[in-house]
C-alpha cells in the first residue's frame, strides 16, 4: 500500500478514552468537541494553519474566560480525520495512505487548510499524494474510492469521487498500466485520445472482481463512464452480470413473506445498466434475469426491457431456455389458473411477438444495408433466423401441450404467434396440436377445427398426412381435406410423368426405332389407364365422403381403405418402367 509520512515530531498527543490532550508544559487554552471526543489544544498552531479554526476561536474567546470551547459539527471523517488535521498543525508525524487520504483531504477542505493561507498546507500535500501515489495505481484507486463512502457528499463536492472513477475507467479502457503521453489533470489521470485497448479471453475480465466491491451508485457511475469512453459493450455486460451474481445474496423474505424491496430495486438497477446493443448479453442470462424479475415482482419497465432484449435475439435460445418457471409472487392471486401452470407462458408469448415484430420484415432490414453488403445473403440469414425460431416455438408447444392448466386460448395464441409463412414444414406444429388434443379431450369440435386451421396441410410430410388420416381426435372435415390434398398431389405427379414421356418422344424424333415407338406407345397407354384408375378413385372418394358425413363412426375403416387405394396407385406408377424393360428384353 502506498504511504506518505507527514510531520516529524512524536509523542505530542495522548488519548485517554475520549479525551485528546497535548503533552506540553503549556496548558490548553481551547477545547474542541467533535462528536463524542474532546480535544484539549492550543490556539496558536490551529489558527496558524486553518482560517476556519481561526474564525471559530476568535468568535468563542472571551476576556473573562481563559479557556475557549466550541463544537465542530459535520466535519467529514469525524474525530479520526480531525485528529490527523490537528497532528498536521502541531507537526506530529502521521502517514497518509490510500485508505485515509480522501477523508483527511475532505477534513482539510472543511477547515480550508489551503496553500494561500499557509505554504505546504494539508490540502496541497494530500492532493499531491492522491494524484502521484494513489490514482496512478489500480488497486490504490479502488481503495481510495471505497474510502469515499463515509464522506461521500463532501468528497463529491470537492470532485474527488469523479476523479477516482475517471482514473479507474481510463485504466479499464486503455490498459491497467497505460501511460500514454497526454494532458494530465491535477491528479495525473491519463486523458488519451488512443483507441480502447483490445484484449482477448479472460484478460478482458481482470477488473470485474475489484469493481464488484463498490456500492451500487459508484458502480453505476463507473459503468456509465466506460460506455462514454467507448469500452467494449460485451465486456461491460459481463461486468454487470458479475456484479449482480456477487452482490445478489439470493432470495430473502421478510417476516411477512414479501420479497425484500432492496433486492428488487437492485435487480431493476442492474437490468437498466445492461448495454442496449443487441447480442452483447447472452440470451440464457437474460432469461435467467427475467425469471428472477418475475420472482421479485420487479417493475413493469424492468420486465418489458428484458423481454424486448430477449425477443431481439430469440434465435439464440434453446428449448430449455424458454421453460421459464411460473414463480408466484406475493402480489398475484394464488387462485388464478395462471399460477397453477408449471411455466410462465404469458411472458414467452410476449417475447415471441417481440421477435416477430423486430425480425420478420426482411425487406425492411435489407433495405437499410450498406452498399458493400450482400442483400441476398443478409435476407437469407434473416429468413434462417425466423425459421429457427419457428421450429423452437413448435418444440415449446410440444413441451407445454401436456400442461393440464394450459387453456385453449393460450395455446392457440402461442401457436399463431409465428406467421404461417415462417414454417417450411408444419409437422412439428401438427404433432404439438395432436398432443394437446390428447391431454384436453374436453375441447369442442369448433375449438379443434380452430386449432387445425393453424396447420397448413400442404406443408405436411407423407407420414404426417397418414397420421392425420387415421387420427380419430381430429374433426372429419380436417381428415377429408388432408386426403383430398394427397389425392391432388398424386394426380399432379402422374401428370408430370406423362408430360415427360411426351417430351421425350418429340426429342428423339426421327432417331427412334419402330421398337422404341411401340414401347413409348405402350407407356402412354399405361399412363392413360392409370389416369382412369385415379378418376375412379376420385369418384369413389366423393361417394365415401357422403357416407361419412352421415356416419362418423365408419371414418377410421374408410380412411384405412382409402390409404390402401392410394398405395395401389403408387404401385401402378412403377408399372410403365417395368413393362418397358420387359418389352426391350
Amino acid at each position: 500500500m502506498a504511504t506518505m509520512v507527514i510531520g516529524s515530531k512524536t509523542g505530542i498527543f495522548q488519548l485517554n478514552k475520549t479525551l485528546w490532550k497535548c503533552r506540553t508544559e503549556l496548558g490548553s487554552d481551547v477545547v474542541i468537541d467533535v462528536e463524542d471526543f474532546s480535544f484539549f489544544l492550543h490556539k496558536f498552531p490551529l489558527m496558524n494553519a486553518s482560517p476556519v479554526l481561526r474564525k471559530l476561536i476568535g468568535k468563542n474567546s472571551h476576556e473573562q474566560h481563559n479557556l475557549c470551547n466550541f463544537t465542530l459539527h459535520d466535519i467529514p471523517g469525524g474525530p479520526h480525520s480531525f485528529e490527523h488535521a490537528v497532528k498536521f498543525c502541531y507537526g506530529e508525524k502521521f502517514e497518509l495512505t490510500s485508505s485515509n487520504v480522501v477523508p483527511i483531504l475532505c477534513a482539510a477542505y472543511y477547515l480550508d487548510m489551503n496553500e494561500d493561507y499557509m505554504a505546504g498546507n494539508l490540502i496541497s500535500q494530500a492532493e499531491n499524494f492522491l494524484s502521484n501515489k494513489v490514482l496512478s495505481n489500480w488497486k490504490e484507486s479502488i481503495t481510495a474510492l471505497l474510502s469515499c463512502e463515509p464522506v461521500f457528499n463532501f468528497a463529491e463536492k470537492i470532485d474527488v469521487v469523479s476523479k477516482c472513477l475517471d482514473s479507474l475507467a481510463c485504466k479499464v479502457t486503455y490498459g491497467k498500466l497505460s501511460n500514454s503521453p497526454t494532458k494530465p489533470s491535477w491528479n495525473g489521470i491519463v486523458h488519451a485520445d488512443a483507441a480502447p485497448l483490445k484484449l482477448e479471453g479472460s484478460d478482458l475480465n481482470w477488473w470485474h472482481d475489484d469493481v464488484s466491491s463498490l456500492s451500487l451508485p459508484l458502480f453505476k457511475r463507473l459503468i456509465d463512464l466506460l460506455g462514454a469512453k467507448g469500452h467494449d459493450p460485451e465486456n461491460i455486460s459481463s461486468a454487470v452480470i458479475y456484479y449482480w451474481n456477487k452482490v445478489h445474496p439470493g432470495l430473502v423474505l421478510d417476516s411477512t413473506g414479501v420479497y425484500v424491496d432492496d433486492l428488487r430495486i437492485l435487480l431493476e438497477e442492474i437490468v437498466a445498466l445492461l448495454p442496449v446493443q443487441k447480442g452483447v448479453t447472452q440470451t440464457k442470462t437474460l432469461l435467467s434475469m427475467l425469471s428472477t424479475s418475475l420472482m421479485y415482482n420487479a417493475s413493469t419497465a424492468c420486465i418489458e426491457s428484458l423481454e424486448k432484449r430477449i425477443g431481439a435475439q430469440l434465435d439464440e435460445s434453446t428449448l430449455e431456455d424458454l421453460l421459464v418457471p411460473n414463480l408466484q409472487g406475493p402480489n398475484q392471486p394464488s387462485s388464478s389458473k395462471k399460477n397453477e401452470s408449471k411455466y410462465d407462458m404469458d411472458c414467452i408469448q410476449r417475447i415471441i411477438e417481440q421477435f416477430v415484430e423486430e425480425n420478420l420484415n426482411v425487406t425492411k432490414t435489407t433495405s437499410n444495408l450498406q452498399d458493400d453488403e450482400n442483400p441476398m445473403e443478409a435476407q437469407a440469414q434473416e429468413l434462417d433466423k425466423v425459421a429457427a425460431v419457428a421450429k423452437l416455438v413448435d418444440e415449446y408447444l410440444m413441451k407445454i401441450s401436456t400442461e393440464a392448466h394450459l387453456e385453449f386460448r393460450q395455446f392457440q395464441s402461442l401457436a399463431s404467434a409465428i406467421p404461417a409463412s415462417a414454417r417450411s414444414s408444419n409437422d412439428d406444429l401438427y404433432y404439438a396440436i395432436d398432443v394437446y388434443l390428447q391431454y384436453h379431450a374436453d375441447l369442442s369440435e369448433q375449438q379443434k377445427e380452430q386449432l387445425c386451421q393453424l396447420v397448413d396441410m400442404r406443408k405436411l410430410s407423407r407420414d404426417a398426412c397418414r397420421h392425420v388420416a387415421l387420427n380419430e381426435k381430429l374433426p372429419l372435415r380436417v381428415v377429408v381435406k388432408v386426403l383430398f390434398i394427397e389425392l391432388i398431389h398424386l394426380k399432379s405427379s402422374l401428370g408430370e410423368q406423362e408430360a415427360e414421356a411426351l417430351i421425350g418422344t418429340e426429342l428423339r424424333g426421327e432417331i427412334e426405332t419402330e421398337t422404341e415407338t411401340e414401347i413409348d406407345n405402350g407407356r402412354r397407354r399405361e399412363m392413360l389407364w392409370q389416369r382412369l384408375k385415379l378418376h375412379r378413385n376420385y369418384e369413389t372418394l366423393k361417394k365415401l365422403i357422403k357416407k361419412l358425413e352421415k356416419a362418423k363412426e365408419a371414418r377410421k375403416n374408410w380412411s384405412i381403405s382409402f390409404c390402401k387405394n392410394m398405395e395401389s396407385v403408387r404401385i401402378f406408377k412403377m408399372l410403365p418402367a417395368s413393362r418397358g424393360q420387359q418389352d426391350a428384353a
Side-chain angles (χ1 to χ4, degrees):
M1 178 180 289
T3 60
M4 175 180 171
V5 177
I6 295 181
S8 58
K9 300 177 182 179
T10 58
I12 298 180
F13 290 98
Q14 177 184 6
L15 175 63
N16 182 13
K17 295 183 180 179
T18 60
L19 302 178
W20 278 97
K21 293 186 177 180
C22 238
R23 292 179 175 177
T24 58
E25 296 179 357
L26 185 64
S28 299
D29 56 2
V30 58
V31 179
I32 302 176
D33 298 319
V34 181
E35 296 180 4
D36 296 332
F37 288 81
S38 296
F39 293 82
F40 290 79
L41 308 171
H42 301 89
K43 296 179 182 179
F44 178 74
L46 301 179
M47 296 171 63
N48 192 43
S50 169
V52 171
L53 291 177
R54 183 186 186 93
K55 182 178 179 181
L56 289 172
I57 290 172
K59 181 179 179 181
N60 292 280
S61 295
H62 304 282
E63 293 181 0
Q64 61 271 28
H65 298 291
N66 188 34
L67 188 65
C68 173
N69 182 238
F70 60 89
T71 301
L72 279 180
H73 299 283
D74 303 324
I75 182 171
H80 188 66
S81 295
F82 183 67
E83 171 199 340
H84 287 91
V86 169
K87 286 183 177 181
F88 177 83
C89 294
Y90 279 83
E92 173 86 359
K93 182 179 179 180
F94 69 95
E95 280 189 346
L96 283 177
T97 66
S98 55
S99 60
N100 69 12
V101 64
V102 173
I104 290 175
L105 181 60
C106 290
Y109 267 101
Y110 178 88
L111 298 172
D112 199 16
M113 301 172 73
N114 58 66
E115 197 73 11
D116 293 337
Y117 191 76
M118 185 183 77
N121 214 335
L122 184 56
I123 290 179
S124 62
Q125 295 204 43
E127 284 185 344
N128 288 335
F129 174 72
L130 183 65
S131 62
N132 296 328
K133 298 294 185 180
V134 176
L135 296 184
S136 60
N137 179 276
W138 169 263
K139 288 287 187 181
E140 305 290 350
S141 298
I142 289 286
T143 303
L145 186 57
L146 290 173
S147 71
C148 292
E149 294 282 4
V151 292
F152 186 82
N153 291 335
F154 205 94
E156 185 81 295
K157 182 179 178 181
I158 62 175
D159 213 25
V160 172
V161 176
S162 297
K163 290 163 184 174
C164 289
L165 287 169
D166 194 53
S167 171
L168 295 175
C170 285
K171 289 174 175 58
V172 169
T173 304
Y174 303 109
K176 193 174 182 179
L177 303 175
S178 177
N179 289 310
S180 302
T182 54
K183 301 175 182 178
S185 64
W186 67 265
N187 58 7
I189 293 175
V190 175
H191 296 283
D193 295 328
L197 188 67
K198 299 295 182 182
L199 299 173
E200 296 181 357
S202 59
D203 292 339
L204 284 169
N205 305 331
W206 61 269
W207 55 282
H208 291 180
D209 189 62
D210 289 332
V211 300
S212 66
S213 60
L214 300 177
S215 65
L216 182 60
L218 290 177
F219 180 76
K220 285 174 58 180
R221 289 176 60 176
L222 177 62
I223 293 299
D224 290 341
L225 271 175
L226 291 173
K229 292 181 182 295
H231 190 62
D232 179 19
E234 189 171 353
N235 190 231
I236 292 177
S237 175
S238 298
V240 173
I241 299 302
Y242 186 95
Y243 185 89
W244 162 249
N245 290 333
K246 186 171 182 180
V247 175
H248 175 226
L251 189 61
V252 179
L253 301 175
D254 62 15
S255 58
T256 63
V258 179
Y259 300 114
V260 179
D261 287 340
D262 289 346
L263 297 178
R264 176 181 54 80
I265 295 171
L266 172 63
L267 176 60
E268 292 171 354
E269 296 282 6
I270 290 295
V271 171
L273 279 178
L274 291 172
V276 297
Q277 290 88 337
K278 178 181 175 182
V280 299
T281 307
Q282 292 184 354
T283 309
K284 185 184 295 291
T285 301
L286 293 173
L287 282 162
S288 174
M289 297 190 76
L290 176 60
S291 297
T292 309
S293 298
L294 295 170
M295 183 188 303
Y296 284 174
N297 292 322
S299 65
T300 302
C302 174
I303 294 174
E304 288 180 350
S305 173
L306 285 170
E307 290 177 349
K308 185 175 181 180
R309 294 168 190 264
I310 296 167
Q313 54 194 62
L314 185 59
D315 54 299
E316 301 175 5
S317 305
T318 63
L319 175 60
E320 288 72 22
D321 296 335
L322 296 187
L323 300 179
V324 177
N326 183 27
L327 302 169
Q328 180 179 322
N331 297 331
Q332 296 174 343
S334 58
S335 60
S336 65
K337 260 196 172 183
K338 177 181 181 298
N339 289 324
E340 297 175 3
S341 300
K342 183 178 180 181
Y343 305 112
D344 193 325
M345 290 165 274
D346 288 338
C347 73
I348 296 301
Q349 181 170 346
R350 292 192 296 268
I351 289 171
I352 295 170
E353 291 170 350
Q354 180 67 36
F355 174 85
V356 172
E357 180 182 348
E358 292 197 10
N359 294 275
L360 191 62
N361 193 347
V362 178
T363 304
K364 181 178 179 180
T365 303
T366 54
S367 64
N368 295 328
L369 296 175
Q370 298 180 1
D371 295 338
D372 58 346
E373 294 179 314
N374 188 336
M376 294 300 293
E377 182 180 351
Q379 186 175 15
Q381 291 176 353
E382 293 295 321
L383 289 172
D384 288 344
K385 287 168 56 178
V386 174
V389 171
K391 182 173 179 59
L392 178 64
V393 171
D394 290 344
E395 292 175 355
Y396 180 73
L397 290 170
M398 177 68 79
K399 181 68 177 179
I400 66 172
S401 59
T402 59
E403 281 283 306
H405 300 290
L406 177 54
E407 297 179 351
F408 166 76
R409 290 299 177 191
Q410 178 83 74
F411 185 85
Q412 184 186 40
S413 297
L414 281 167
S416 59
I418 292 290
S421 59
R423 293 183 172 96
S424 58
S425 170
N426 276 211
D427 284 15
D428 291 339
L429 176 60
Y430 162 69
Y431 288 124
I433 291 175
D434 180 56
V435 174
Y436 182 74
L437 295 179
Q438 178 181 347
Y439 282 83
H440 300 79
D442 57 338
L443 294 179
S444 66
E445 288 295 308
Q446 182 181 5
Q447 288 176 324
K448 292 179 181 179
E449 287 192 9
Q450 289 177 1
L451 289 181
C452 292
Q453 287 173 1
L454 300 175
V455 181
D456 187 344
M457 302 300 176
R458 296 168 298 179
K459 294 183 178 181
L460 292 178
S461 65
R462 287 271 177 95
D463 291 339
C465 286
R466 187 177 296 110
H467 190 280
V468 172
L470 301 175
N471 195 338
E472 294 183 340
K473 298 187 293 292
L474 300 180
L476 176 61
R477 189 176 303 176
V478 175
V479 177
V480 172
K481 181 179 179 181
V482 171
L483 291 174
F484 186 72
I485 290 172
E486 182 70 5
L487 184 63
I488 292 175
H489 287 167
L490 287 173
K491 182 178 178 181
S492 175
S493 177
L494 290 175
E496 290 173 1
Q497 290 184 14
E498 182 180 5
E500 289 175 0
L502 291 173
I503 293 171
T505 301
E506 294 175 0
L507 288 175
R508 285 192 294 270
E510 298 179 352
I511 65 172
E512 280 189 331
T513 63
E514 185 177 352
T515 304
E516 289 173 335
T517 303
E518 291 175 358
I519 293 172
D520 185 63
N521 289 336
R523 288 180 179 175
R524 289 201 290 171
R525 284 195 299 271
E526 189 65 39
M527 272 309 170
L528 180 59
W529 184 87
Q530 288 181 7
R531 292 184 66 184
L532 292 173
K533 175 77 173 178
L534 181 62
H535 180 70
R536 286 198 301 271
N537 275 309
Y538 178 65
E539 292 299 325
T540 303
L541 174 65
K542 290 198 296 183
K543 293 178 182 179
L544 287 173
I545 289 174
K546 292 180 180 179
K547 292 180 181 180
L548 287 170
E549 288 177 345
K550 297 178 181 179
K552 291 185 179 181
E553 63 275 6
R555 177 176 58 191
K556 182 177 181 181
N557 294 333
W558 171 81
S559 298
I560 295 174
S561 174
F562 188 85
C563 287
K564 290 180 179 179
N565 288 336
M566 294 299 101
E567 191 65 29
S568 299
V569 173
R570 295 190 185 97
I571 293 173
F572 276 113
K573 287 171 59 180
M574 301 171 60
L575 290 177
S578 176
R579 189 174 225 176
Q581 292 173 1
Q582 292 175 3
D583 293 341

